[in-house]
Amino acid sequence: MIDLKIETSNNFVFSDSSTRLFYRITIQGTPEKTSNSKSFGVGGNWLILIIDQSSSMVGEKLETAKQAAISTIRSLNKGNYVSIYAFSDDVEVLVNHEGLNDIKRIENAINEIYAHGRTALYKTLNTLINQAKDYAEDAGSVSVLLLTDGQPTDVTDIHKYESIAGLAAEYGIKINTIGIGSDYNEEIIKRMSDVTNGEFYHIMDRSEISNIFGNYVEQINKTVATSAILGITLREAKDFKSYDQNFIQQGNQFLLNLGYISDNPIVITGHLIVPPGNMGNVNLLNVNLDYKDEAGSSKYISKDLIINRTNDQQKILSGTNLDVVNAARVKMNIERFEYLASVGDVTGATKAISEARKAAEATKNIKIIESTKKLENLISNSQTGKVDKKQIYSETSKIKKKGD
């Protein structure tokens, strides 16, 4: 079962002036089966593991990545598909869209990975798009876990990576990136994740690879729906903005390919503008969720967001949902903070994270409070030195994608 919930910072707005309204959309699945033999229809998940096997990965770092990949394959429920890519001077597709009937053969392919050569990251992404686009477009959910420790040696222009990530987003391919160590290009791989609504992780300890892979496969195993696409169609609302997801806009419609839905809530937070108008109910927008259930059958949920215009100030003041307001303020200021830190504006970033921390404290969410405090410490340490973008991006990604 899928639950779709829409909340706003207020159910009432002024009729004689424009109002900025915060919103929060929450999507969460409830598993109907608990069996590890769960099997999906044509819309099963496709997990693609992409491992950097360049020379700099030699030794325990690469061996840990290989063992994490093998553990992931062993843990993944049947009914899903896997691919294994390894890249250095070229990209090797060791396993391509296979089921889990012959796990031993997949393990043998992973064990063949060895460190050599350079880092052809762009070529790898091209291969990914060409092989995954048809499946992603027609039937299933495609998720990528990409691990790298170095600078790309084939293409270094971030705009080209942004462009190819845009293609992936159009096809619904979600790219999660893991940068290990201090030598990789965080701007490139984080942008790939941002554009495709994936997550970015910065790690220094190789043991964290297994944790990230394991947590991700755990969520896939709790999938209750695949091929999920969220559509938001504006009615009277204007200037629709999301703080934590990258929508594709088509006229007055905004599309977000969610991939799969599990029992881990997907939270989308942002704001919109309500223009002045006649008093009474006003239909701001429609939220439509299309997905495939465990049998591969197409399903949808559709809800309208309706609020009330009024000239009664007391109604407006008493109707404020502070929970939504504070959650939105956290993510709004995290977005500002991330941008200001990325351009080296330490003063501006310090102010933004201070506002985010105050809002986080109002939410009483311990994890968000701890993350904002960590970011305050990181930017404070930057006052006398270089901004540590790797750690900052990793924390902001955590808040934006899992902050609620």
Side-chain angles (χ1 to χ4, degrees):
M1 184 177 73
I2 306 296
D3 181 54
L4 171 63
K5 185 178 181 180
I6 311 171
E7 301 169 277
T8 57
S9 53
N10 209 308
N11 291 324
F12 299 93
V13 295
F14 290 108
S15 60
D16 58 355
S17 61
S18 292
T19 304
R20 185 172 71 168
L21 199 67
F22 293 120
Y23 69 84
R24 180 169 62 190
I25 300 170
T26 306
I27 301 164
Q28 186 170 15
T30 302
E32 296 179 2
K33 298 180 181 179
T34 57
S35 169
N36 284 336
S37 62
K38 183 186 292 183
S39 179
F40 292 91
V42 293
N45 291 306
W46 182 5
L47 176 62
I48 302 176
L49 301 179
I50 302 179
I51 299 173
D52 182 347
Q53 63 172 359
S54 60
S55 297
S56 58
M57 286 286 291
V58 69
E60 293 183 348
K61 190 160 44 177
L62 183 57
E63 291 307 310
T64 301
K66 289 161 63 174
Q67 288 306 309
I70 289 171
S71 295
T72 296
I73 301 307
R74 290 175 179 174
S75 302
L76 195 62
N77 286 345
K78 291 184 177 180
N80 297 301
Y81 305 92
V82 296
S83 287
I84 310 294
Y85 293 12
F87 68 100
S88 54
D89 294 319
D90 205 345
V91 54
E92 298 178 61
V93 182
L94 304 174
V95 176
N96 186 27
H97 192 242
E98 291 191 16
L100 300 170
N101 297 321
D102 191 353
I103 291 179
K104 187 62 180 177
R105 198 196 76 75
I106 299 174
E107 290 180 10
N108 290 339
I110 293 171
N111 281 323
E112 290 176 4
I113 298 173
Y114 68 100
H116 65 284
R118 299 187 295 174
T119 312
L121 179 60
Y122 189 79
K123 187 173 185 179
T124 302
L125 294 175
N126 262 319
T127 302
L128 165 69
I129 298 296
N130 290 332
Q131 294 196 347
K133 64 182 181 181
D134 291 337
Y135 181 84
E137 199 171 31
D138 294 339
S141 303
V142 181
S143 298
V144 177
L145 282 172
L146 185 152
L147 172 70
T148 185
D149 75 335
Q151 301 279 339
T153 54
D154 52 352
V155 175
T156 58
D157 183 352
I158 190 172
H159 299 294
K160 290 188 176 181
Y161 286 94
E162 188 175 59
S163 178
I164 200 167
L167 281 176
E170 288 181 20
Y171 293 124
I173 302 169
K174 186 175 293 187
I175 303 175
N176 303 277
T177 56
I178 307 165
I180 181 169
S182 57
D183 296 330
Y184 67 90
N185 189 317
E186 70 275 9
E187 300 291 351
I188 286 177
I189 68 170
K190 177 186 178 295
R191 191 60 189 143
M192 287 158 47
S193 293
D194 283 350
V195 172
T196 61
N197 293 304
E199 293 185 53
F200 165 76
Y201 303 87
H202 164 64
I203 60 175
M204 295 299 293
D205 185 344
R206 65 179 185 278
S207 67
E208 293 183 66
I209 300 171
S210 297
N211 294 334
I212 295 170
F213 279 30
N215 289 337
Y216 203 79
V217 77
E218 182 180 351
Q219 288 305 313
I220 289 179
N221 284 344
K222 294 179 180 178
T223 296
V224 297
T226 63
S227 307
I229 298 177
L230 184 72
I232 295 177
T233 303
L234 301 187
R235 305 299 191 201
E236 293 201 41
K238 308 292 183 183
D239 299 329
F240 177 82
K241 163 75 175 174
S242 171
Y243 302 141
D244 45 26
Q245 301 286 347
N246 181 46
F247 282 81
I248 295 174
Q249 185 175 359
Q250 297 178 353
N252 70 332
Q253 188 175 44
F254 295 79
L255 299 175
L256 175 61
N257 198 311
L258 301 172
Y260 67 89
I261 299 172
S262 71
D263 64 350
N264 189 43
I266 300 168
V267 182
I268 302 148
T269 311
H271 74 252
L272 51 82
I273 302 299
V274 184
N278 295 330
M279 288 192 291
N281 287 342
V282 52
N283 189 339
L284 295 180
L285 53 81
N286 172 263
V287 179
N288 188 81
L289 178 65
D290 291 287
Y291 62 94
K292 294 181 185 294
D293 65 13
E294 294 175 72
S297 300
S298 296
K299 304 286 185 179
Y300 75 93
I301 302 171
S302 181
K303 290 188 177 182
D304 289 326
L305 174 57
I306 297 174
I307 62 165
N308 190 277
R309 286 196 188 103
T310 181
N311 59 7
D312 186 335
Q313 186 174 11
Q314 185 57 38
K315 271 188 176 181
I316 295 172
L317 293 175
S318 63
T320 302
N321 184 333
L322 291 177
D323 186 39
V324 173
V325 171
N326 290 321
R329 285 177 55 219
V330 170
K331 292 191 175 181
M332 177 179 67
N333 282 293
I334 286 295
E335 185 183 50
R336 286 181 55 230
F337 166 78
E338 185 180 84
Y339 168 74
L340 293 168
S342 73
V343 297
D345 184 348
V346 175
T347 301
T350 300
K351 292 179 181 178
I353 196 57
S354 176
E355 290 300 314
R357 192 249 313 148
K358 292 174 185 176
E361 289 174 346
T363 70
K364 296 182 170 56
N365 185 313
I366 300 300
K367 289 184 178 180
I368 301 179
I369 295 170
E370 290 176 349
S371 289
T372 53
K373 285 182 177 179
K374 183 175 181 178
L375 287 168
E376 273 194 311
N377 290 333
L378 285 170
I379 202 67
S380 177
N381 293 338
S382 301
Q383 298 281 358
T384 56
K386 186 178 179 181
V387 175
D388 189 346
K389 294 181 184 179
K390 289 180 171 65
Q391 286 198 57
I392 284 174
Y393 290 164
S394 191
E395 285 299 316
T396 56
S397 179
K398 186 188 304 180
I399 294 173
K400 288 195 293 184
K401 299 302 180 185
K402 298 180 179 177
D404 289 86

